Amino acid sequence: MSYHYRLDGGSLAISSPHTDQDIGTYQCLATNPLGTILSQKAKLQFAYIEDFETKIRSTVSVREGQGVVLLCGPPPHFGGLSYAWTFNDNPLYVQEDNRRFVSQETGNLYIAKVEPSDVGNYTCYITNKEAQRSVQGPPTPLVQRTDVPDISWRRLDGSPLPGKVKYSKSQAILEIPNFQQEDEGVYECIASNLRGRNLAKGQLIFYAPPEWEQKIQNTYLSIYDSLFWECKASGKPNPWYTWLKNGERLNPEERIQIENGTLIITMLNVSDSGIYQCAAENKYQIIYANAELRVLASAPDFSKNPIKKNSVVQVGGDIVIECKPNAFPRAAISWKRGMESLRQSKRVFILKDGSLKIHNVTRSDAGSYTCIATNQFGVAKNTGSLVVKERTVITVPPSKMDVTVGESIVLPCQVSHDPSIEVVFVWSFNGDVIDLKKGVAHFERIGGESVGDLMIRNIQLNHSGKYLCTVKTTLESLSDEADIIVRGPPGPPEDVRVEHISSTTSQLSWRPGSDNNSPIQIFSIQARTPFSVGWQAVSTVPEILNGKTYNATVVGLSPWVEYEFRVVAGNSIGIGEPSKPSEVLRTKASVPVVAPTNINGGGGSRSELVITWESIPEELQNGEEFGYIIMLRPVGSTTWTKERVPFVESSRFVYRNESITPLSPFEVKVGVYNKKGEGALSTTSIVYSGEEEPQLAPRGTSVQSFSASEMEVSWNAIAWNRNTGRVLGYEVLYWTDDSKESVIGKIRVSGNVTTKNITGLKANTVYFASVRAYNTAGTGPSSPPVNGTTKKSPPSQPPANIAWKLTNSKLCLNWEHVKTMENESEVLGYKILYRQNRQSKTHILETNNTSAELLVPFEEDYLIEIRTVSDGGDGSSSEEIRIPKMSSLSSRGVSVLEPSIHFLSIVIMIFYCFAIQPLI
């Protein structure tokens, strides 16, 4: 180092560098106590650029519309260059646009679609910024030509051009993207026109700097061991190799062998430790791979890798007690059991790495074992214990089971094991572990420490398979398995098809579904229509469809009805899920066969015959254009009149003829028809023609009031004949003077009834009433109105201050007389209602007085209430009184129902009660 060279950390700084003195190749050496390493090479050069050669450049000919490239061809130089072009001595540089482009990589000028204005001289200018110098090349003439050559390309070795090549529009430029080694070779351009042809050749050479394929790695070896290192690199041309140790070239010696990329050092000693480098170099680059070699020499040491303190093994098992001390060179190993040296046998032997292996361990093998390690630098010992446990055995393994879907089963898995060892049970189903901790549906583990039984609740078909019980301890893992077959009803049949359909039959085919581990024994077919309630079983041919039958004919179908079918399979377990429905198909049409029922009629106007029937439902109409046929004739006639009713939903027909007399009997039949023809007729029924309304009004109408809410209307019956109109009954109309409507009530009675009670009326109100007769044609004239007034309302206040006395079977009651309001009916008497507590039958005693005496057996509690009697009806009842049975009374005495009554008035009322005879 000097004022000229200075280290700045690991960087080298050169002050005022001189071209002759400082130009050259530099490398950095990094050193620490373990060794030295050499860096990649760095080359120092000084920027410069020489002048262009002065020879005249060739003219470039191009036709209009073609592209052209003008080559700059820079002179020898070093340093970064920038390029520009001038045109026809114009001091301004050619400006880049959508037709002109100057490559700053090569300096070439690209012109796309040459125009006449582009013809002239072009000059390339190059500037080296580091050298602070610019040079100018000779001009290149560009002329326009009229004869255009055809251009083609080929490889001289005969191999085809790479598929990735690109051409300019005129094929004058060949571009090879992503150039690879297989693309190298001699390429030839052939240009030809009417005047001749010319050739030009160019060779493309592929090169690549070295790249590592295999590097060396840090290595730690014992003294006297051998080192083998190999490094490999690719490149074009192939690289050559050199080896360095601590930055200095390594040459072959007695112990050191170097051949291409391999390094071998035998009988290593501590001085061989250091930093090694493998250098791969070709004429384009040199690369380095670095690694440390550390040669170790030490006495045996167990501190980093002691013998396991306790090695546990089961009776009958094998155990390896490792002994791997750190020792350089490798230590010789011997073993002791307790204080005695251990001798090898067929059951006890020492492995190559020094570990002790004992085969078929017995209880007597338990104890302490010491490993003794020895090399030329010293001896080390380390001791561990061998613990022998009893083996784990599956005493009750899972067993094969055949079950029915929905059952709950238990798969056993029970073991015997050393009590000091923890046992873990793991169940698997078809190779997948059942995670019982997460509470998987259907699965549950039951049992204690030595029992790992698996319960499967409500077992399903998908639970068929292989169940494996694995018993794990810290020392071993053992397992046993069993197959479970779950049988269930068959799966749904598939591919149900309707092969053919007629008016009443359908041919079906299907494929069986899964038998779910139980052979299919029977099939049944179900059908559904828009008129059925869900799916219904249908009759088939053959009648019984066994498990091998996959087609059948459905019979007994209704014509002209849309049907869909499904198939259900059954086995010894049960009936399975139905198949998917077939496509919806309609049966063929046919003549209707079901005749209407409930033929009736009557009523209507004069000269009319009204006929009614129950309409035929759509599923029995058997085809399009459905309607009804009406057959009628007067009783005694031999000629039928036929009418058609072309309406599907019709259930009534009116036949009109002026010759029909009222209430004439007719024989009537109703039939059906559709597009296919006429069908069945009903049986004959007698129906009467229409009649006129009654012509007479009832006489002798009167009204009598019974209470505040009820009155009775009566009248005289009408003596009728065919001329005055038949009377089927009477209609009573009633209303009040202030009614907003003319009639507020209407009640009908049938037959010869001549009285009618009207209830629910207002109290103390004038009602008007009239009566008229009616028949099927309507109502007749009304009788003259009559009126009546309802009674005043019954008393609203119930009897109060009720007192009672019970002696033997005699009950004496007393109460205050009820005073009425001005708008209420006067009290005419009282009703005593009494019944035993547990019976529903109520007895009634009426009296005009305010006391009463009852002679009843008091074996049960009695419930008594009292209400007023008036013209307006019964008034409000008192609260229900409970009279206890005799045995529950502690003494004979008096009870007063209202505590506000003074005792003196109670005594007076009681004595008053004794003096009056009951009215019974």
Side-chain angles (χ1 to χ4, degrees), residues 181-209:
Q181 184 170 354
E182 61 268 19
D183 298 326
E184 70 178 0
V186 179
Y187 288 75
E188 183 178 67
C189 169
I190 303 104
S192 61
N193 61 15
L194 295 177
R195 299 184 180 183
R197 64 196 299 265
N198 200 355
L199 305 176
K201 299 176 184 178
Q203 184 174 10
L204 293 177
I205 300 174
F206 176 85
Y207 75 89

PDB file of all heavy atoms in Angstrom, residues 181-209:
ATOM      1  N   GLN A 181     -27.052 -23.024 -28.275  1.00  0.00           N
ATOM      2  CA  GLN A 181     -25.908 -23.715 -28.870  1.00  0.00           C
ATOM      3  C   GLN A 181     -26.289 -24.463 -30.135  1.00  0.00           C
ATOM      4  O   GLN A 181     -25.527 -24.506 -31.098  1.00  0.00           O
ATOM      5  CB  GLN A 181     -25.291 -24.675 -27.852  1.00  0.00           C
ATOM      6  CG  GLN A 181     -24.026 -25.362 -28.361  1.00  0.00           C
ATOM      7  CD  GLN A 181     -23.289 -26.121 -27.274  1.00  0.00           C
ATOM      8  OE1 GLN A 181     -23.680 -26.037 -26.118  1.00  0.00           O
ATOM      9  NE2 GLN A 181     -22.252 -26.821 -27.636  1.00  0.00           N
ATOM     10  N   GLU A 182     -27.522 -25.046 -30.153  1.00  0.00           N
ATOM     11  CA  GLU A 182     -27.907 -25.804 -31.349  1.00  0.00           C
ATOM     12  C   GLU A 182     -28.156 -24.909 -32.570  1.00  0.00           C
ATOM     13  O   GLU A 182     -28.297 -25.396 -33.696  1.00  0.00           O
ATOM     14  CB  GLU A 182     -29.158 -26.651 -31.060  1.00  0.00           C
ATOM     15  CG  GLU A 182     -30.380 -25.837 -30.659  1.00  0.00           C
ATOM     16  CD  GLU A 182     -30.503 -25.674 -29.160  1.00  0.00           C
ATOM     17  OE1 GLU A 182     -29.482 -25.866 -28.443  1.00  0.00           O
ATOM     18  OE2 GLU A 182     -31.611 -25.361 -28.693  1.00  0.00           O
ATOM     19  N   ASP A 183     -28.204 -23.569 -32.344  1.00  0.00           N
ATOM     20  CA  ASP A 183     -28.424 -22.656 -33.468  1.00  0.00           C
ATOM     21  C   ASP A 183     -27.110 -22.249 -34.161  1.00  0.00           C
ATOM     22  O   ASP A 183     -27.148 -21.574 -35.191  1.00  0.00           O
ATOM     23  CB  ASP A 183     -29.143 -21.379 -32.978  1.00  0.00           C
ATOM     24  CG  ASP A 183     -30.518 -21.682 -32.408  1.00  0.00           C
ATOM     25  OD1 ASP A 183     -31.159 -22.618 -32.921  1.00  0.00           O
ATOM     26  OD2 ASP A 183     -30.939 -20.997 -31.456  1.00  0.00           O
ATOM     27  N   GLU A 184     -25.953 -22.629 -33.591  1.00  0.00           N
ATOM     28  CA  GLU A 184     -24.703 -22.199 -34.208  1.00  0.00           C
ATOM     29  C   GLU A 184     -24.461 -22.964 -35.527  1.00  0.00           C
ATOM     30  O   GLU A 184     -25.003 -24.045 -35.743  1.00  0.00           O
ATOM     31  CB  GLU A 184     -23.521 -22.407 -33.254  1.00  0.00           C
ATOM     32  CG  GLU A 184     -23.145 -23.845 -33.004  1.00  0.00           C
ATOM     33  CD  GLU A 184     -21.936 -23.967 -32.100  1.00  0.00           C
ATOM     34  OE1 GLU A 184     -21.396 -22.938 -31.668  1.00  0.00           O
ATOM     35  OE2 GLU A 184     -21.523 -25.111 -31.805  1.00  0.00           O
ATOM     36  N   GLY A 185     -23.681 -22.342 -36.409  1.00  0.00           N
ATOM     37  CA  GLY A 185     -23.397 -22.957 -37.707  1.00  0.00           C
ATOM     38  C   GLY A 185     -23.175 -21.887 -38.769  1.00  0.00           C
ATOM     39  O   GLY A 185     -23.134 -20.680 -38.481  1.00  0.00           O
ATOM     40  N   VAL A 186     -23.029 -22.326 -40.037  1.00  0.00           N
ATOM     41  CA  VAL A 186     -22.816 -21.420 -41.160  1.00  0.00           C
ATOM     42  C   VAL A 186     -24.144 -21.191 -41.864  1.00  0.00           C
ATOM     43  O   VAL A 186     -24.820 -22.148 -42.268  1.00  0.00           O
ATOM     44  CB  VAL A 186     -21.776 -21.990 -42.142  1.00  0.00           C
ATOM     45  CG1 VAL A 186     -21.595 -21.037 -43.323  1.00  0.00           C
ATOM     46  CG2 VAL A 186     -20.441 -22.222 -41.427  1.00  0.00           C
ATOM     47  N   TYR A 187     -24.542 -19.923 -41.980  1.00  0.00           N
ATOM     48  CA  TYR A 187     -25.795 -19.542 -42.633  1.00  0.00           C
ATOM     49  C   TYR A 187     -25.464 -18.886 -43.970  1.00  0.00           C
ATOM     50  O   TYR A 187     -24.486 -18.131 -44.085  1.00  0.00           O
ATOM     51  CB  TYR A 187     -26.591 -18.574 -41.758  1.00  0.00           C
ATOM     52  CG  TYR A 187     -27.209 -19.241 -40.546  1.00  0.00           C
ATOM     53  CD1 TYR A 187     -26.431 -19.603 -39.441  1.00  0.00           C
ATOM     54  CD2 TYR A 187     -28.576 -19.502 -40.497  1.00  0.00           C
ATOM     55  CE1 TYR A 187     -26.983 -20.212 -38.343  1.00  0.00           C
ATOM     56  CE2 TYR A 187     -29.154 -20.108 -39.390  1.00  0.00           C
ATOM     57  CZ  TYR A 187     -28.354 -20.456 -38.309  1.00  0.00           C
ATOM     58  OH  TYR A 187     -28.923 -21.050 -37.233  1.00  0.00           O
ATOM     59  N   GLU A 188     -26.279 -19.126 -45.002  1.00  0.00           N
ATOM     60  CA  GLU A 188     -26.039 -18.588 -46.344  1.00  0.00           C
ATOM     61  C   GLU A 188     -27.275 -17.847 -46.825  1.00  0.00           C
ATOM     62  O   GLU A 188     -28.406 -18.344 -46.680  1.00  0.00           O
ATOM     63  CB  GLU A 188     -25.712 -19.718 -47.315  1.00  0.00           C
ATOM     64  CG  GLU A 188     -25.372 -19.238 -48.725  1.00  0.00           C
ATOM     65  CD  GLU A 188     -25.010 -20.387 -49.635  1.00  0.00           C
ATOM     66  OE1 GLU A 188     -25.915 -21.212 -49.931  1.00  0.00           O
ATOM     67  OE2 GLU A 188     -23.841 -20.469 -50.044  1.00  0.00           O
ATOM     68  N   CYS A 189     -27.049 -16.642 -47.381  1.00  0.00           N
ATOM     69  CA  CYS A 189     -28.116 -15.823 -47.949  1.00  0.00           C
ATOM     70  C   CYS A 189     -27.979 -15.896 -49.474  1.00  0.00           C
ATOM     71  O   CYS A 189     -26.898 -15.641 -50.024  1.00  0.00           O
ATOM     72  CB  CYS A 189     -27.993 -14.378 -47.455  1.00  0.00           C
ATOM     73  SG  CYS A 189     -29.062 -13.233 -48.336  1.00  0.00           S
ATOM     74  N   ILE A 190     -29.051 -16.243 -50.187  1.00  0.00           N
ATOM     75  CA  ILE A 190     -29.049 -16.308 -51.662  1.00  0.00           C
ATOM     76  C   ILE A 190     -29.963 -15.213 -52.185  1.00  0.00           C
ATOM     77  O   ILE A 190     -31.151 -15.170 -51.827  1.00  0.00           O
ATOM     78  CB  ILE A 190     -29.534 -17.676 -52.170  1.00  0.00           C
ATOM     79  CG1 ILE A 190     -28.662 -18.797 -51.593  1.00  0.00           C
ATOM     80  CG2 ILE A 190     -29.543 -17.711 -53.685  1.00  0.00           C
ATOM     81  CD1 ILE A 190     -29.305 -19.557 -50.488  1.00  0.00           C
ATOM     82  N   ALA A 191     -29.394 -14.306 -53.009  1.00  0.00           N
ATOM     83  CA  ALA A 191     -30.170 -13.230 -53.637  1.00  0.00           C
ATOM     84  C   ALA A 191     -30.151 -13.461 -55.147  1.00  0.00           C
ATOM     85  O   ALA A 191     -29.080 -13.660 -55.741  1.00  0.00           O
ATOM     86  CB  ALA A 191     -29.596 -11.873 -53.283  1.00  0.00           C
ATOM     87  N   SER A 192     -31.309 -13.397 -55.784  1.00  0.00           N
ATOM     88  CA  SER A 192     -31.349 -13.641 -57.245  1.00  0.00           C
ATOM     89  C   SER A 192     -32.415 -12.779 -57.872  1.00  0.00           C
ATOM     90  O   SER A 192     -33.417 -12.440 -57.233  1.00  0.00           O
ATOM     91  CB  SER A 192     -31.631 -15.125 -57.513  1.00  0.00           C
ATOM     92  OG  SER A 192     -32.893 -15.503 -56.959  1.00  0.00           O
ATOM     93  N   ASN A 193     -32.143 -12.370 -59.165  1.00  0.00           N
ATOM     94  CA  ASN A 193     -33.162 -11.704 -59.989  1.00  0.00           C
ATOM     95  C   ASN A 193     -32.911 -12.122 -61.433  1.00  0.00           C
ATOM     96  O   ASN A 193     -32.173 -13.069 -61.708  1.00  0.00           O
ATOM     97  CB  ASN A 193     -33.143 -10.200 -59.770  1.00  0.00           C
ATOM     98  CG  ASN A 193     -31.811  -9.571 -60.138  1.00  0.00           C
ATOM     99  OD1 ASN A 193     -30.986 -10.196 -60.803  1.00  0.00           O
ATOM    100  ND2 ASN A 193     -31.598  -8.336 -59.694  1.00  0.00           N
ATOM    101  N   LEU A 194     -33.479 -11.378 -62.381  1.00  0.00           N
ATOM    102  CA  LEU A 194     -33.369 -11.762 -63.791  1.00  0.00           C
ATOM    103  C   LEU A 194     -31.921 -11.682 -64.285  1.00  0.00           C
ATOM    104  O   LEU A 194     -31.549 -12.340 -65.265  1.00  0.00           O
ATOM    105  CB  LEU A 194     -34.267 -10.869 -64.652  1.00  0.00           C
ATOM    106  CG  LEU A 194     -35.781 -11.030 -64.375  1.00  0.00           C
ATOM    107  CD1 LEU A 194     -36.567 -10.036 -65.226  1.00  0.00           C
ATOM    108  CD2 LEU A 194     -36.240 -12.448 -64.675  1.00  0.00           C
ATOM    109  N   ARG A 195     -31.100 -10.890 -63.627  1.00  0.00           N
ATOM    110  CA  ARG A 195     -29.733 -10.711 -64.105  1.00  0.00           C
ATOM    111  C   ARG A 195     -28.742 -11.718 -63.515  1.00  0.00           C
ATOM    112  O   ARG A 195     -27.577 -11.756 -63.904  1.00  0.00           O
ATOM    113  CB  ARG A 195     -29.257  -9.283 -63.800  1.00  0.00           C
ATOM    114  CG  ARG A 195     -30.110  -8.232 -64.502  1.00  0.00           C
ATOM    115  CD  ARG A 195     -29.537  -6.852 -64.250  1.00  0.00           C
ATOM    116  NE  ARG A 195     -30.328  -5.818 -64.900  1.00  0.00           N
ATOM    117  CZ  ARG A 195     -30.029  -4.514 -64.899  1.00  0.00           C
ATOM    118  NH1 ARG A 195     -28.934  -4.121 -64.254  1.00  0.00           N
ATOM    119  NH2 ARG A 195     -30.798  -3.628 -65.508  1.00  0.00           N
ATOM    120  N   GLY A 196     -29.188 -12.478 -62.508  1.00  0.00           N
ATOM    121  CA  GLY A 196     -28.276 -13.456 -61.922  1.00  0.00           C
ATOM    122  C   GLY A 196     -28.539 -13.671 -60.444  1.00  0.00           C
ATOM    123  O   GLY A 196     -29.585 -13.273 -59.913  1.00  0.00           O
ATOM    124  N   ARG A 197     -27.563 -14.296 -59.766  1.00  0.00           N
ATOM    125  CA  ARG A 197     -27.711 -14.580 -58.333  1.00  0.00           C
ATOM    126  C   ARG A 197     -26.376 -14.380 -57.629  1.00  0.00           C
ATOM    127  O   ARG A 197     -25.310 -14.417 -58.264  1.00  0.00           O
ATOM    128  CB  ARG A 197     -28.210 -16.012 -58.094  1.00  0.00           C
ATOM    129  CG  ARG A 197     -27.276 -17.100 -58.532  1.00  0.00           C
ATOM    130  CD  ARG A 197     -27.991 -18.460 -58.627  1.00  0.00           C
ATOM    131  NE  ARG A 197     -28.530 -18.913 -57.374  1.00  0.00           N
ATOM    132  CZ  ARG A 197     -27.899 -19.741 -56.540  1.00  0.00           C
ATOM    133  NH1 ARG A 197     -26.659 -20.157 -56.835  1.00  0.00           N
ATOM    134  NH2 ARG A 197     -28.460 -20.156 -55.437  1.00  0.00           N
ATOM    135  N   ASN A 198     -26.441 -14.156 -56.340  1.00  0.00           N
ATOM    136  CA  ASN A 198     -25.241 -13.937 -55.546  1.00  0.00           C
ATOM    137  C   ASN A 198     -25.440 -14.592 -54.191  1.00  0.00           C
ATOM    138  O   ASN A 198     -26.569 -14.750 -53.701  1.00  0.00           O
ATOM    139  CB  ASN A 198     -24.964 -12.446 -55.403  1.00  0.00           C
ATOM    140  CG  ASN A 198     -23.501 -12.188 -55.031  1.00  0.00           C
ATOM    141  OD1 ASN A 198     -22.737 -13.118 -54.801  1.00  0.00           O
ATOM    142  ND2 ASN A 198     -23.132 -10.923 -54.990  1.00  0.00           N
ATOM    143  N   LEU A 199     -24.325 -14.967 -53.556  1.00  0.00           N
ATOM    144  CA  LEU A 199     -24.363 -15.649 -52.272  1.00  0.00           C
ATOM    145  C   LEU A 199     -23.558 -14.868 -51.252  1.00  0.00           C
ATOM    146  O   LEU A 199     -22.580 -14.204 -51.594  1.00  0.00           O
ATOM    147  CB  LEU A 199     -23.772 -17.065 -52.397  1.00  0.00           C
ATOM    148  CG  LEU A 199     -24.367 -17.991 -53.461  1.00  0.00           C
ATOM    149  CD1 LEU A 199     -23.585 -19.302 -53.500  1.00  0.00           C
ATOM    150  CD2 LEU A 199     -25.828 -18.267 -53.159  1.00  0.00           C
ATOM    151  N   ALA A 200     -23.954 -15.001 -49.990  1.00  0.00           N
ATOM    152  CA  ALA A 200     -23.166 -14.452 -48.883  1.00  0.00           C
ATOM    153  C   ALA A 200     -23.282 -15.413 -47.715  1.00  0.00           C
ATOM    154  O   ALA A 200     -24.351 -15.951 -47.442  1.00  0.00           O
ATOM    155  CB  ALA A 200     -23.662 -13.062 -48.498  1.00  0.00           C
ATOM    156  N   LYS A 201     -22.155 -15.676 -47.008  1.00  0.00           N
ATOM    157  CA  LYS A 201     -22.140 -16.621 -45.903  1.00  0.00           C
ATOM    158  C   LYS A 201     -21.740 -15.926 -44.613  1.00  0.00           C
ATOM    159  O   LYS A 201     -20.993 -14.956 -44.639  1.00  0.00           O
ATOM    160  CB  LYS A 201     -21.161 -17.760 -46.189  1.00  0.00           C
ATOM    161  CG  LYS A 201     -21.474 -18.582 -47.426  1.00  0.00           C
ATOM    162  CD  LYS A 201     -20.389 -19.630 -47.669  1.00  0.00           C
ATOM    163  CE  LYS A 201     -20.654 -20.394 -48.961  1.00  0.00           C
ATOM    164  NZ  LYS A 201     -19.574 -21.378 -49.230  1.00  0.00           N
ATOM    165  N   GLY A 202     -22.219 -16.438 -43.535  1.00  0.00           N
ATOM    166  CA  GLY A 202     -21.817 -15.935 -42.221  1.00  0.00           C
ATOM    167  C   GLY A 202     -21.862 -17.061 -41.215  1.00  0.00           C
ATOM    168  O   GLY A 202     -22.753 -17.919 -41.250  1.00  0.00           O
ATOM    169  N   GLN A 203     -20.884 -17.132 -40.316  1.00  0.00           N
ATOM    170  CA  GLN A 203     -20.839 -18.198 -39.307  1.00  0.00           C
ATOM    171  C   GLN A 203     -21.260 -17.652 -37.947  1.00  0.00           C
ATOM    172  O   GLN A 203     -20.754 -16.612 -37.504  1.00  0.00           O
ATOM    173  CB  GLN A 203     -19.427 -18.795 -39.225  1.00  0.00           C
ATOM    174  CG  GLN A 203     -19.367 -19.982 -38.260  1.00  0.00           C
ATOM    175  CD  GLN A 203     -18.019 -20.670 -38.274  1.00  0.00           C
ATOM    176  OE1 GLN A 203     -17.072 -20.153 -38.876  1.00  0.00           O
ATOM    177  NE2 GLN A 203     -17.939 -21.815 -37.640  1.00  0.00           N
ATOM    178  N   LEU A 204     -22.172 -18.355 -37.304  1.00  0.00           N
ATOM    179  CA  LEU A 204     -22.620 -18.018 -35.956  1.00  0.00           C
ATOM    180  C   LEU A 204     -21.994 -19.003 -34.990  1.00  0.00           C
ATOM    181  O   LEU A 204     -22.112 -20.223 -35.169  1.00  0.00           O
ATOM    182  CB  LEU A 204     -24.149 -18.099 -35.856  1.00  0.00           C
ATOM    183  CG  LEU A 204     -24.933 -17.055 -36.680  1.00  0.00           C
ATOM    184  CD1 LEU A 204     -26.432 -17.306 -36.548  1.00  0.00           C
ATOM    185  CD2 LEU A 204     -24.615 -15.653 -36.193  1.00  0.00           C
ATOM    186  N   ILE A 205     -21.286 -18.514 -33.993  1.00  0.00           N
ATOM    187  CA  ILE A 205     -20.586 -19.359 -33.018  1.00  0.00           C
ATOM    188  C   ILE A 205     -21.201 -19.098 -31.644  1.00  0.00           C
ATOM    189  O   ILE A 205     -21.377 -17.947 -31.228  1.00  0.00           O
ATOM    190  CB  ILE A 205     -19.083 -19.049 -32.997  1.00  0.00           C
ATOM    191  CG1 ILE A 205     -18.478 -19.311 -34.391  1.00  0.00           C
ATOM    192  CG2 ILE A 205     -18.376 -19.877 -31.931  1.00  0.00           C
ATOM    193  CD1 ILE A 205     -17.028 -18.905 -34.512  1.00  0.00           C
ATOM    194  N   PHE A 206     -21.546 -20.173 -30.934  1.00  0.00           N
ATOM    195  CA  PHE A 206     -22.131 -20.077 -29.601  1.00  0.00           C
ATOM    196  C   PHE A 206     -21.027 -20.182 -28.551  1.00  0.00           C
ATOM    197  O   PHE A 206     -20.148 -21.027 -28.664  1.00  0.00           O
ATOM    198  CB  PHE A 206     -23.137 -21.217 -29.400  1.00  0.00           C
ATOM    199  CG  PHE A 206     -23.734 -21.262 -28.024  1.00  0.00           C
ATOM    200  CD1 PHE A 206     -24.842 -20.498 -27.700  1.00  0.00           C
ATOM    201  CD2 PHE A 206     -23.168 -22.068 -27.034  1.00  0.00           C
ATOM    202  CE1 PHE A 206     -25.392 -20.557 -26.423  1.00  0.00           C
ATOM    203  CE2 PHE A 206     -23.710 -22.118 -25.760  1.00  0.00           C
ATOM    204  CZ  PHE A 206     -24.824 -21.355 -25.455  1.00  0.00           C
ATOM    205  N   TYR A 207     -21.047 -19.323 -27.572  1.00  0.00           N
ATOM    206  CA  TYR A 207     -20.129 -19.461 -26.457  1.00  0.00           C
ATOM    207  C   TYR A 207     -20.900 -19.209 -25.170  1.00  0.00           C
ATOM    208  O   TYR A 207     -21.958 -18.556 -25.167  1.00  0.00           O
ATOM    209  CB  TYR A 207     -18.948 -18.493 -26.587  1.00  0.00           C
ATOM    210  CG  TYR A 207     -19.284 -17.051 -26.274  1.00  0.00           C
ATOM    211  CD1 TYR A 207     -19.174 -16.571 -24.964  1.00  0.00           C
ATOM    212  CD2 TYR A 207     -19.696 -16.170 -27.273  1.00  0.00           C
ATOM    213  CE1 TYR A 207     -19.487 -15.262 -24.668  1.00  0.00           C
ATOM    214  CE2 TYR A 207     -20.007 -14.862 -26.982  1.00  0.00           C
ATOM    215  CZ  TYR A 207     -19.903 -14.397 -25.680  1.00  0.00           C
ATOM    216  OH  TYR A 207     -20.220 -13.106 -25.392  1.00  0.00           O
ATOM    217  N   ALA A 208     -20.335 -19.755 -24.054  1.00  0.00           N
ATOM    218  CA  ALA A 208     -20.975 -19.574 -22.754  1.00  0.00           C
ATOM    219  C   ALA A 208     -19.914 -19.559 -21.686  1.00  0.00           C
ATOM    220  O   ALA A 208     -19.009 -20.392 -21.693  1.00  0.00           O
ATOM    221  CB  ALA A 208     -21.973 -20.701 -22.484  1.00  0.00           C
ATOM    222  N   PRO A 209     -19.974 -18.621 -20.739  1.00  0.00           N
ATOM    223  CA  PRO A 209     -19.030 -18.628 -19.620  1.00  0.00           C
ATOM    224  C   PRO A 209     -19.327 -19.828 -18.724  1.00  0.00           C
ATOM    225  O   PRO A 209     -20.403 -20.421 -18.778  1.00  0.00           O
ATOM    226  CB  PRO A 209     -19.314 -17.305 -18.910  1.00  0.00           C
ATOM    227  CG  PRO A 209     -20.720 -16.985 -19.259  1.00  0.00           C
ATOM    228  CD  PRO A 209     -20.938 -17.512 -20.642  1.00  0.00           C
TER     229      PRO A 209
END
